[in-house]
Amino acid sequence: AFEPMAKCAEKILAANNMRDKVRVIHKRSTEMEVGPGLDMEEPANILVAEVFDTELIGEGAISTYNHAMEHLLTADALLVPSAGRVYAQVVSSPQLHSFSRPNAIVPLNFPQLHLPPSFASCPGSMSVHDIQMSQLSTHMFTPVSDPIEVFSFDWSGRDIKLTCNERTHNVFTPKLRKQNQSNNNDKYQEALTCHAVLMWWDITMDQEGKHILSCAPHWEQSSSTGPNSVPWRDHWMQAVYHLPPPLVTIPRNATNDVTDRRRESHQSLTLTSSRDEYSLWFSVSAGDSATVVPAPHCSCGVHMTTSHMRLAQLSDQRRLEAMQTAIDSTLLQQEGRDEKAWLLLGDGINLLIVGKLATDNRVSHVYLVEASKHDCRVMAEFLSLNKLQDRVTIQPKKTKDDTIASVLEHKIGVVFSEPHFNTSLLPWHNIRSNKLMAQYRDLLPSPPAPPTSGITPLQINFNKNKDFTEHLPSMTGAIVLPARITVYAMPVCFLNLWKIRAPCEQRCGFDLTIFDELIDTARCRSDDYVEAQPLWEYPCIALHAPVALTSLDLRTDAMAVTATTDASVQLDTAAISRLVPHIDAMRNSCYGTRGGSCLSKEASLSEANTSESPSNLSDGKTVSATSSQVHFNGVAVWADWQFGEKSITTGPVEEVVLGEQVVWDMYSKQGVHLPRESVPLLQRSSSGNLAPKLFTSSVTIKDGQLSFSFNVRDYSQHH
């Protein structure tokens, strides 16, 4: 039905001498007609289709198959795949729960204020929380149930009719952890709350049910040896469904004595699974009686403007502790000053931060600049609930400056931002807070007098200077939090993410280069050089320590700067070569294909493509058929925000070690650049030595926007 793809398919068939064997019909299958002179002369007796997504049915599989069986196929047609099953597993996980509830976790050292009741009663939204579940640490959740088959689909509709609505009820006995695994004590360690349902599916590829394609996470696949050992897919993922309130809690004194029928009934739970033609939703109730809930729709307003990741970020202990330390330190600095009001900038400002400031007598007043009407309503409800209306003033972002000035009764001494804006895709997009502060500079204390200098800041050559704002004067004498942003980049080996940009080339003897050219043209026109990805879901191995690209002082008018800076570092190929066995083990012996995999066996590559000998597998350089090759196939980019002496990172949360898998912040998306071609790092020169490699980077700022350029090349090309 997509005309460019249909034309591409015809060109590919012609290039592979199959034009006379295959006919492309430029229509949706639901628009096709069968009969003499029509799209198909007669009904087909085999159907091969891929109409699935993370929810299995989200792309309209039910209506597509029903139409095909009624209008396009014979009654005994064979379908590939022939069937599908959906599995659900109930889990307890406060951390996963934070991805669906605002401020689900409140640190003890924050004021224990009342959150809006709508937070607790809101069922959430229908948006699918899809993740690479195999990368989810099993320490993050406690299984309450075994995986349960909740829906089964016969795509032909012969054995099980394909309906547009269905509901199932499964009664189960919760799996509870014992207090002491070494004895028979039947008391359980802790009460467990059912927070979420983990969902995945499988499809049966043949009619006999012998060949199953499973999307189960690694811990549910018998052949798995670790999170990176199962087949990787980025279209068919898994999903977390956050359970609606009231959440069911299994009491601390639950018993495992199933011989007592009275207790057995008391401790059983019921999982109710519902679906319509495109979506799934779940609920859990106590006992063996099901509670039917409608499809979730947000009633609190927060889910309408806030992503799952941002919701979890609101409860991130690491962030909150760093901000609290910075706030306490700033309040000490303000002692003795007249300017004791705080100006808060951003979207959906964390209620915990507002509550902490509004309840501290050292803060004379809090002014909020908020854009979203939903967030304004939630904030007003929070302030009213805690009787803080007189301590906080909410200013819509579009209010004119003179109106703000008319209500400004307290002198502003601090400008604070988390920073977060709903439309920001990448961490450094949030320097919008700097532009917003510039709009209110007339309401802020005057900056200290700049040092006498004959140099105009914007005329300075920044080419070798990583701090674009070093020579700019401060916009204000107020304390600014965060005071600085530093942007980092790091060359990496992605274990799998490179595949989303890898060309198909030859597959099963079929030449797909025409398709590669179409995709490459579209990428050049529409894709960003650096795209946003949650890298905790996409394992990668560090090829170098983080490289600081640039730093901006957010007390200055950073948005006015136009400048470029370059950086280059040498990659330690000798050290990388020594780590090959370790990286090999990390890959769990799952090697990729030529052109992108983080670690590829050259022998395997030559077997996969017999037209190429080992001597020309790596750009003409000879590589032993028994050696392993490590590739540079991506760059990770992130930002750190400086809050006084504390730094909040959107990148690695543990020390980066060469050759080790990077541990990323789960509550931010990072920037990713995937080069058009990967670069093998363990090439040897004619003398037999490893050829040194150089990682080069360039970053340009203009109108507050950062643009990047990255490359890895032979060190000799640099000199």
Side-chain angles (χ1 to χ4, degrees):
F2 183 51
E3 194 64 19
M5 192 60 68
K7 292 180 178 179
C8 178
E10 290 179 327
K11 293 178 181 178
I12 291 173
L13 291 169
N16 288 274
N17 299 317
M18 292 188 178
R19 176 179 287 175
D20 297 335
K21 298 179 180 179
V22 180
R23 183 164 66 93
V24 178
I25 300 171
H26 296 227
K27 289 183 178 181
R28 292 178 178 271
S29 67
T30 52
E31 298 170 346
M32 290 171 57
E33 298 176 290
V34 178
L38 300 176
D39 299 315
M40 294 171 57
E41 292 290 328
E42 58 184 2
N45 58 8
I46 296 179
L47 172 64
V48 180
E50 192 284 279
V51 288
F52 311 119
D53 68 347
T54 292
E55 289 192 285
L56 185 62
I57 58 174
E59 291 185 359
I62 291 174
S63 59
T64 299
Y65 276 111
N66 277 335
H67 177 272
M69 289 302 302
E70 183 176 356
H71 299 285
L72 306 178
L73 303 175
T74 60
D76 61 348
L78 300 180
L79 276 63
V80 181
S82 62
R85 295 174 295 188
V86 175
Y87 297 87
Q89 183 174 26
V90 182
V91 299
S92 176
S93 173
Q95 193 167 355
L96 285 178
H97 183 54
S98 71
F99 282 85
S100 71
R101 291 290 176 270
N103 303 113
I105 303 173
V106 179
L108 293 176
N109 49 7
F110 270 77
Q112 301 301 299
L113 300 174
H114 300 290
L115 295 175
S118 58
F119 285 8
S121 61
C122 179
S125 70
M126 287 288 285
S127 63
V128 178
H129 185 190
D130 53 344
I131 63 171
Q132 292 284 354
M133 197 173 290
S134 285
Q135 299 305 320
L136 194 67
S137 170
T138 52
H139 298 294
M140 280 183 57
F141 63 90
T142 300
V144 178
S145 76
D146 289 318
I148 301 170
E149 181 183 322
V150 293
F151 294 118
S152 181
F153 299 95
D154 169 16
W155 301 124
S156 70
R158 288 188 284 258
D159 295 332
I160 305 173
K161 186 177 180 181
L162 289 177
T163 61
C164 292
N165 295 278
E166 186 179 0
R167 180 171 288 118
T168 64
H169 307 288
N170 295 92
V171 179
F172 65 94
T173 301
K175 298 172 60 176
L176 298 177
R177 296 178 298 177
K178 288 190 175 181
Q179 187 176 26
N180 188 340
Q181 298 284 3
S182 62
N183 60 34
N184 294 322
N185 188 343
D186 67 353
K187 298 293 184 181
Y188 288 95
Q189 182 179 11
E190 57 186 5
L192 290 180
T193 298
C194 300
H195 290 114
V197 168
L198 308 183
M199 185 281 297
W200 62 88
W201 51 260
D202 65 27
I203 49 178
T204 304
M205 302 305 293
D206 60 333
Q207 314 305 307
E208 293 76 26
K210 295 180 179 179
H211 301 283
I212 308 295
L213 188 155
S214 175
C215 292
H218 76 89
W219 61 80
E220 287 298 331
Q221 297 203 32
S222 58
S223 61
S224 168
T225 58
N228 300 325
S229 66
V230 295
W232 184 84
R233 306 178 183 96
D234 202 44
H235 178 56
W236 297 343
M237 298 171 68
Q238 301 80 32
V240 178
Y241 290 83
H242 302 280
L243 291 170
L247 299 178
V248 174
T249 297
I250 305 162
R252 182 185 298 271
N253 62 351
T255 178
N256 203 33
D257 183 7
V258 295
T259 60
D260 186 333
R261 294 302 173 186
R262 292 169 298 178
R263 289 183 173 182
E264 180 181 7
S265 175
H266 173 72
Q267 74 176 65
S268 63
L269 301 178
T270 300
L271 170 64
T272 298
S273 309
S274 307
R275 69 167 181 85
D276 56 22
E277 190 175 351
Y278 301 99
S279 303
L280 315 174
W281 63 96
F282 300 89
S283 64
V284 171
S285 53
D288 54 9
S289 59
T291 300
V292 177
V293 298
H297 295 285
C298 176
S299 59
C300 71
V302 176
H303 300 88
M304 298 179 184
T305 59
T306 310
S307 67
H308 289 295
M309 182 172 287
R310 170 58 179 169
L311 287 173
Q313 195 179 88
L314 294 173
S315 296
D316 179 19
Q317 305 297 290
R318 180 176 55 85
R319 273 180 174 77
L320 290 173
E321 289 172 4
M323 289 182 190
Q324 182 191 38
T325 300
I327 289 172
D328 290 341
S329 176
T330 301
L331 290 173
L332 289 175
Q333 293 181 51
Q334 282 189 289
E335 291 182 357
R337 296 188 182 185
D338 294 333
E339 303 90 353
K340 294 188 176 182
W342 287 53
L343 175 64
L344 273 55
L345 307 175
D347 292 342
I349 298 170
N350 197 324
L351 300 183
L352 301 184
I353 299 295
V354 177
K356 177 175 176 58
L357 293 172
T359 55
D360 196 311
N361 291 329
R362 293 172 293 178
V363 178
S364 61
H365 201 75
V366 177
Y367 294 95
L368 300 179
V369 178
E370 181 64 76
S372 165
K373 64 178 182 180
H374 296 294
D375 292 330
C376 283
R377 181 177 60 79
V378 170
M379 183 63 70
E381 183 182 359
F382 170 73
L383 297 175
S384 175
L385 198 62
N386 293 282
K387 297 180 172 53
L388 295 173
Q389 305 98 309
D390 296 337
R391 299 277 295 156
V392 180
T393 300
I394 304 174
Q395 294 294 336
K397 191 181 295 184
K398 295 182 180 179
T399 303
K400 294 182 179 179
D401 287 356
D402 58 349
T403 305
I404 294 177
S406 67
V407 299
L408 194 67
E409 299 177 357
H410 304 267
K411 295 180 180 180
I412 296 173
V414 181
V415 180
F416 179 94
S417 182
E418 295 188 51
H420 169 78
F421 294 90
N422 291 334
T423 56
S424 295
L425 298 178
L426 290 160
W428 51 90
H429 290 170
N430 289 312
I431 60 174
R432 287 175 53 192
S433 61
N434 179 261
K435 180 179 180 180
L436 203 54
M437 184 178 75
Q439 296 175 11
Y440 299 109
R441 68 169 73 186
D442 293 341
L443 307 179
L444 304 177
S446 300
T452 304
S453 172
I455 302 177
T456 302
L458 298 186
Q459 294 177 344
I460 292 175
N461 180 4
F462 287 93
N463 198 39
K464 298 296 182 181
N465 192 338
K466 291 182 180 180
D467 186 348
F468 288 153
T469 56
E470 181 179 5
H471 300 279
L472 295 182
S474 178
M475 285 193 292
T476 175
I479 298 172
V480 179
L481 296 174
R484 181 173 293 277
I485 176 178
T486 303
V487 180
Y488 294 89
M490 182 169 61
V492 298
C493 288
F494 284 111
L495 303 192
N496 291 301
L497 187 60
W498 61 272
K499 297 174 185 176
I500 68 173
R501 295 289 180 266
C504 295
E505 298 177 342
Q506 298 275 342
R507 286 294 177 265
C508 301
F510 207 69
D511 185 358
L512 294 170
T513 53
I514 294 174
F515 173 76
D516 292 336
E517 292 168 0
L518 174 68
I519 297 300
D520 198 45
T521 300
R523 281 183 58 193
C524 293
R525 290 177 179 175
S526 60
D527 285 7
D528 292 328
Y529 188 81
V530 174
E531 60 184 279
Q533 295 285 357
L535 287 186
W536 74 268
E537 298 184 48
Y538 301 102
C540 64
I541 293 168
L543 297 176
H544 193 277
V547 179
L549 300 181
T550 188
S551 184
L552 300 174
D553 187 338
L554 299 178
R555 296 167 296 186
T556 68
D557 190 1
M559 305 293 280
V561 177
T562 299
T564 298
T565 185
D566 305 312
S568 61
V569 294
Q570 185 174 343
L571 302 184
D572 191 345
T573 52
I576 293 172
S577 68
R578 291 192 294 270
L579 291 169
V580 163
H582 173 69
I583 299 174
D584 195 351
M586 196 182 309
R587 286 280 299 167
N588 292 305
S589 300
C590 288
Y591 299 104
T593 56
R594 181 181 180 229
S597 64
C598 172
L599 182 65
S600 56
K601 281 292 183 73
E602 300 298 348
S604 300
L605 298 179
S606 59
E607 292 169 5
N609 194 340
T610 54
S611 64
E612 300 192 51
S613 65
S615 63
N616 61 13
L617 280 172
S618 298
D619 301 331
K621 304 295 192 303
T622 301
V623 179
S624 168
T626 60
S627 69
S628 293
Q629 179 60 261
V630 178
H631 288 79
F632 156 77
N633 59 20
V635 181
V637 192
W638 68 94
D640 285 2
W641 304 93
Q642 196 66 40
F643 285 80
E645 296 181 355
K646 290 286 187 177
S647 179
I648 295 179
T649 185
T650 61
V653 293
E654 295 182 8
E655 181 183 2
V656 173
V657 179
L658 181 68
E660 294 283 354
Q661 185 170 321
V662 184
V663 181
W664 296 98
D665 174 31
M666 285 188 67
Y667 309 112
S668 304
K669 286 187 177 181
Q670 293 75 33
V672 173
H673 168 65
L674 299 174
R676 297 179 70 178
E677 295 183 3
S678 67
V679 179
L681 299 180
L682 304 185
Q683 296 171 317
R684 295 190 179 274
S685 63
S686 56
S687 63
N689 297 321
L690 284 171
K693 299 290 183 180
L694 197 72
F695 171 65
T696 63
S697 62
S698 176
V699 57
T700 297
I701 183 171
K702 183 178 181 181
D703 299 327
Q705 301 294 318
L706 298 180
S707 57
F708 304 88
S709 177
F710 303 109
N711 193 16
V712 166
R713 59 176 181 263
D714 289 341
Y715 188 81
S716 58
Q717 297 176 6
H718 187 66
H719 295 276

